[in-house]
Amino acid sequence: MDPLVAAIDQGTSSTRFLVFNAKTAELISHHQVEINQSFPKEGWVEEDPREIMQSVHECIERTCEKLCKLNIDVSNIKAVGVTNQRETTLVWDKDTGEPLYNAIVWLDLRTQSTVERLINKAPGRNKNHLRHKTGLPISTYFSAVKLRWLLDNVDEVHEAFLSQRAMFGTVDSWIIWCLTGGKNGGVHCTDVSNASRTMLFNIHTMDWDPELCRYFDIPMEILPSVRSSSEIYGWMKSGSLAGVPISGCLGDQSAALVGQMCFNEGQAKNTYGTGCFLLRNTGTKPVISDHGLLTTVAYKLGKDEPACYALEGSVAIAGAVVRWLKDNMGMVQSSSEIEKLAAAVGTSYGCYFVPAFSGLYAPYWEPSARGIICGLTQFTNRNHLAFAALEAVCFQTREILDAMNQDSGVPLTQLKVDGGMTSNRLLMQLQADILCIPVVRPTMSETTALGVAMAAGAAEGVGVWSLSPGQLPHVTSERYEPQINPEESEYRFARWKKAVQKAMNWETTEPCYNGSGHSQ
């Protein structure tokens, strides 16, 4: 039997555990569990760290049961990798092993007033004041402001910090700490790709930055140690995989870049998950964007390997808009139904939907924007709205692709895509039409999990997966060619941009009153 490598893929909306053949990259078995999100106040998004860990254990055990049914011995699993929703912020008690608050999810907006205060005190009120070190604008999106909020507003967190019991981590750190023993010797670490999303990490020195930590008033002793994306961090302590090394760790978007085999400068991929993330490999040099993109650490595949960087266009709401139409509006019963609704009309009939639920991310970085649907007439029905929601995902991708092309000066000739939404064929065709370039989707769309499995299997001391160019597996894919004329595409994109302007400057932090008489 060929060696197997497993991946824990802990995303915003679900947790998955997937097992791959290390020689062929074939997906052997997997299990998925949905994660509950709670919205305790307007703009707040939280998840329960205990539920996250329960889902990880459940996915591992169920997948091992499935392997047994296939007559595959779980002892063939030689390594485990962890990939995760980035920026989401947790603080836990190292003595009890218990979380001190819910995880504050990357989409959360409770830090908006903190962010505005930080920007107002920056020289020239410049949101890019820290970008020379971090590659990032000051935004609600990143971990430092969330951690600051926890230290300021949650008594348990403040007390644990004072008595030196508090540990901070992003989701990868929490999972690795728990799986390697938790309060009984758990390893407190993160990798460079996740660390680069905190605003506390210097992407040039590749370590936590004392000056940034002082700026946000974050105590350095609560931070995890920063490691490469491919090395043995520790070993599974319990369950069916006890004794197996955990040897890969990548933020989900970095993992998808690796899983799409974008190892060369200029190669790019777009992942359609809760949000939408376009990353372009810029090689071993960080490139600073002039068009609203982030500079991020893509991966560092081994202790002694160089770090590679990426330019990233981040869109907050992609798949989340479908979840909203399903859960909040009751318009569809399942996510797959949206394709049928949209296909029934084949047009939004002049209706545009800007889902700025968490403000606008790239290329605008405008936290005061909010969602808007415009161009409504008596003719508009839910089919048009479904179509407009899918178009919104495509238009947002077009905006970040345009920014990416302007920054690099070398336009992409095709777009590699992956993620849950890519199973929607109408969406893929719409995307090709709106970008005016072909869209290429791998038949096996679990590229995020594949990427971290590759990192784990290639780690020193594991060595069951080769990342040398000649040894990379051949991947089959389907291709969507643009089918409308570019003039129509440009006309619709121009209308979209007009709609975006109407979504801007909506929510201010001055005291205002909503319909129920409560001050915001």
Side-chain angles (χ1 to χ4, degrees), residues 417-455:
V417 300
D418 57 80
M421 286 189 95
T422 60
S423 61
N424 184 325
R425 303 182 100 89
L426 174 62
L427 178 73
M428 294 296 94
Q429 186 55 54
L430 263 179
Q431 188 66 86
D433 289 345
I434 286 168
L435 296 180
C436 306
I437 58 172
V439 166
V440 182
R441 171 188 177 266
T443 317
M444 200 289 293
S445 62
E446 297 285 359
T447 48
T448 299
L450 175 62
V452 83
M454 289 162 65

Side-chain angles (χ1 to χ4, degrees), residues 5-182:
V5 178
I8 295 162
D9 180 355
Q10 205 300 300
T12 315
S13 54
S14 71
T15 301
R16 297 200 279 284
F17 186 73
L18 304 94
V19 177
F20 296 93
N21 179 317
K23 294 285 171 268
T24 64
E26 180 196 357
L27 176 59
I28 305 297
S29 186
H30 66 102
H31 189 77
Q32 175 167 343
V33 172
E34 288 240 330
I35 293 288
N36 291 302
Q37 296 174 356
S38 57
F39 308 98
K41 293 186 186 176
E42 191 194 353
W44 291 30
V45 189
E46 296 179 3
E47 292 179 354
D48 179 353
R50 291 182 193 84
E51 184 191 344
I52 289 175
M53 278 319 298
Q54 272 164 333
S55 71
V56 169
H57 290 301
E58 185 182 340
C59 286
I60 292 173
E61 295 310 318
R62 290 296 92 80
T63 305
C64 288
E65 287 166 17
K66 291 177 185 179
L67 289 174
C68 290
K69 286 195 179 120
L70 295 168
N71 290 322
I72 294 170
D73 191 337
V74 296
S75 68
N76 290 310
I77 297 176
K78 301 304 180 195
V80 175
V82 176
T83 180
N84 56 290
Q85 50 172 317
R86 304 169 306 168
E87 301 96 13
T88 295
T89 300
L90 298 94
V91 179
W92 64 93
D93 184 318
K94 67 178 174 199
D95 295 343
T96 65
E98 292 295 316
L100 295 165
Y101 192 77
N102 276 342
I104 301 182
V105 176
W106 56 277
L107 284 164
D108 185 279
L109 288 179
R110 75 189 64 189
T111 55
Q112 191 179 333
S113 55
T114 312
V115 165
E116 288 179 10
R117 196 167 65 243
L118 289 170
I119 291 171
N120 285 336
K121 77 170 195 189
R125 296 193 167 179
N126 180 6
K127 62 173 161 265
N128 291 318
H129 173 52
L130 304 173
R131 195 169 69 157
H132 63 290
K133 285 190 171 194
T134 63
L136 313 170
I138 299 170
S139 160
T140 57
Y141 181 23
F142 308 108
S143 314
V145 279
K146 300 178 197 298
L147 178 52
R148 188 66 256 148
W149 187 92
L150 286 166
L151 287 163
D152 289 339
N153 294 283
V154 181
D155 291 343
E156 290 82 355
V157 172
H158 187 65
E159 285 158 18
F161 161 63
L162 290 177
S163 53
Q164 296 178 333
R165 288 176 292 114
M167 281 184 156
F168 154 77
T170 40
V171 172
D172 54 307
S173 301
W174 169 241
I175 292 174
I176 293 171
W177 188 79
C178 290
L179 292 178
T180 54

Side-chain angles (χ1 to χ4, degrees), residues 277-298:
F277 301 89
L278 177 61
L279 272 74
R280 181 176 184 135
N281 189 328
T282 62
T284 52
K285 291 192 180 63
V287 174
I288 298 291
S289 167
D290 294 323
H291 299 93
L293 303 179
L294 309 177
T295 304
T296 200
V297 179

Side-chain angles (χ1 to χ4, degrees), residues 324-368:
W324 182 83
L325 289 173
K326 176 167 75 79
D327 296 348
N328 296 31
M329 308 310 282
M331 255 179 57
V332 289
Q333 263 52 64
S334 69
S335 296
S336 55
E337 211 185 312
I338 191 150
E339 186 173 4
K340 290 192 200 73
L341 281 185
V345 284
T347 170
S348 68
Y349 219 84
C351 168
Y352 288 81
F353 185 170
V354 182
F357 301 159
S358 294
L360 286 164
Y361 284 17
Y364 302 102
W365 298 105
E366 188 48 78
S368 65

Side-chain angles (χ1 to χ4, degrees), residues 352 354 363-364 391-403 406 431 433-436 484-501:
Y352 288 81
V354 182
Y364 302 102
E391 273 194 319
V393 175
C394 301
F395 287 133
Q396 291 183 105
T397 298
R398 164 86 192 255
E399 292 193 296
I400 52 180
L401 185 80
D402 284 358
Q406 286 174 295
Q431 188 66 86
D433 289 345
I434 286 168
L435 296 180
C436 306
I484 64 171
N485 70 42
E487 289 74 35
E488 187 193 336
S489 185
E490 291 303 324
Y491 172 77
R492 280 157 59 183
F493 185 50
R495 296 289 296 244
W496 159 262
K497 286 188 148 167
K498 195 171 161 184
V500 169
Q501 289 307 316

